[in-house]
Amino acid sequence: MSENLVDAGTRPIGVEGMSSGPLAFGCWRFAPTEAERAERALNAAIEAGMTLVDTADVYGFQEDSSGFGAAEVMLGRMLQAQPSLRDHIVLASKGGVRPPLPYDSSARALRAACEASLRRLRVERIDLYLVHRPDLFAHPIEVAETLVALRREGKVREVGVSNYTLSQHDAITAGLARNGTALAAIQPEYSAVHLDPARDGTFDRCCCGNITALAWSPLAGGRLASGEGVRPELLAVLDELAAREGVERAAVALAFVLAHPVRPVAILGSLTPARLFAATRALAVHLDRRDCYRIVEASDGAPLP
Ligand SMILES: NC(=O)c1ccc[n+]([C@@H]2O[C@H](COP(=O)([O-])OP(=O)(O)OC[C@H]3O[C@@H](n4cnc5c(N)ncnc54)[C@H](OP(=O)(O)O)[C@@H]3O)[C@@H](O)[C@H]2O)c1
């Protein structure tokens, strides 16, 4: 049988012994008015074996400018109601996006954001704290020093960044290294319709630096399941592989994410328990090199050179 590239193993995170399964649960879609739905989804995700929970201070923010911090507040309530949960999850959160001002990773703002997240989450420490988006007007050395200080003070266990370019990774990595720290994780968008991190050097840097890649929107926000706005040739390949593997198309799309040698963790955003359980079928999908390159080719809409 051909080599299976889909890696369903545990992924280490950082240097303190934390780890995550290949699938994680994200709180971006927590609606402030649907606490029960969010709670059911979180419990289903944990029952399905997802141990990394990804949130951010800005999750819950609504168009009418309400809701900043709402997802963390909901998560904090759940953690308080089920204290044992805290020991079973890797709690990841992000700061640095401050509506109506887009981004602020200045020392003062990032520190205040992290401390506010701790209060909302009702925890003493965030396991993995990421800068949500690059702030073009924050000096990378200053950002790194803030992250190092938060880590030294025990407010965060490991640090990371999200949506950074390769050169922005290099700059923050250099700043962290001056203080004996390294990025534990990065969080880029990655899916069968968004292959950039596999090509722009981001995943290569992770492979060489023991940095865990947390792939956001692994189903392209649901489009790979619904088919909306996705190249018909990509849907056809995914459907053919899904029929062969006896799973739904979404499971093949997730398996494709898990097949990259950087061993990404796919952060799922569904709040539907049945879909969260169904996602675990990705772990048993077999994709070899040919299958993966068929997906790449169909995603590009052009033959490989
Ligand atoms: N760092 C960043 O900038 C950033 C940006 C975006 C997201 N994220 C993180 O990534 C997480 C996931 O993002 P995402 O929500 O876009 O991920 P996703 O898993 O690609 O999409 C989830 C969406 O797809 C829908 N969906 C439709 N059919 C589905 C199926 N068969 N299986 C599963 N879902 C299906 C879900 O709807 P239902 O809920 O109705 O099932 C949900 O709305 C977020 O929660 C957040 O933690 C980070």
Side-chain angles (χ1 to χ4, degrees):
M1 200 179 189
S2 57
E3 183 194 8
N4 183 15
L5 301 187
V6 182
D7 187 333
T10 301
R11 278 76 165 143
I13 298 175
V15 292
E16 292 197 27
M18 290 195 296
S19 62
S20 168
L23 302 177
F25 177 69
C27 304
W28 177 34
R29 297 176 189 272
F30 274 21
T33 49
E34 291 186 329
E36 277 179 25
R37 185 175 187 218
E39 191 163 350
R40 272 199 302 276
L42 176 71
N43 286 329
I46 287 169
E47 204 180 318
M50 297 169 209
T51 50
L52 187 142
V53 177
D54 179 71
T55 190
D57 54 5
V58 75
Y59 290 174
F61 187 74
Q62 306 293 302
E63 275 181 10
D64 66 3
S65 294
S66 68
F68 185 88
E72 286 185 333
V73 168
M74 288 161 85
L75 201 50
R77 278 203 209 106
M78 292 177 215
L79 288 169
Q80 193 173 50
Q82 304 178 59
S84 61
L85 208 57
R86 181 71 193 91
D87 299 330
H88 289 104
I89 60 168
V90 172
L91 182 57
S93 194
K94 305 185 275 301
V97 175
R98 285 186 25 127
L101 182 76
Y103 311 126
D104 191 348
S105 295
S106 61
R108 185 190 43 76
L110 203 55
R111 167 172 287 281
C114 179
E115 290 170 352
S117 288
L118 286 167
R119 285 193 293 277
R120 282 189 292 263
L121 291 164
R122 306 182 196 208
V123 296
E124 287 182 1
R125 190 155 63 160
I126 293 167
D127 296 321
L128 176 64
Y129 192 68
L130 301 104
V131 180
H132 202 153
R133 286 190 178 272
D135 172 4
L136 303 182
F137 301 99
H139 196 298
I141 301 291
E142 181 183 319
V143 179
E145 281 171 355
T146 310
L147 292 174
V148 168
L150 291 168
R151 191 162 180 254
R152 286 215 179 108
E153 291 160 30
K155 289 174 176 156
V156 310
R157 256 174 112 173
E158 298 284 3
V159 298
V161 294
S162 181
N163 303 305
Y164 268 41
T165 65
L166 205 55
S167 58
Q168 288 164 342
H169 281 144
D170 288 346
I172 193 118
T173 297
L176 292 170
R178 280 158 61 139
N179 296 282
T181 299
L183 285 175
I186 56 141
Q187 196 177 122
E189 179 178 8
Y190 181 62
S191 70
V193 296
H194 191 93
L195 303 173
D196 293 4
R199 285 182 162 139
D200 67 11
T202 303
F203 281 173
D204 299 324
R205 290 286 165 83
C206 291
C207 289
C208 297
N210 292 326
I211 301 168
T212 309
L214 307 172
W216 65 259
S217 292
L219 292 176
R223 291 188 299 122
L224 281 162
S226 68
E228 199 186 323
V230 177
R231 283 182 199 284
E233 58 266 49
L234 175 56
L235 296 176
V237 171
L238 293 172
D239 284 342
E240 189 192 315
L241 296 170
R244 185 190 78 193
E245 296 292 309
V247 296
E248 288 179 355
R249 187 201 301 148
V252 173
L254 291 173
F256 173 77
V257 169
L258 304 181
H260 191 279
V262 77
R263 308 175 76 225
V265 173
I267 313 177
L268 302 175
S270 174
L271 297 182
T272 308
R275 287 176 172 168
L276 291 165
F277 286 115
T280 62
R281 299 195 68 192
L283 308 183
V285 167
H286 182 112
L287 297 179
D288 63 17
R289 253 190 184 66
R290 184 168 182 276
D291 299 328
C292 288
Y293 274 113
R294 285 186 69 204
I295 293 171
V296 168
E297 198 167 42
S299 173
D300 290 346
L304 291 166

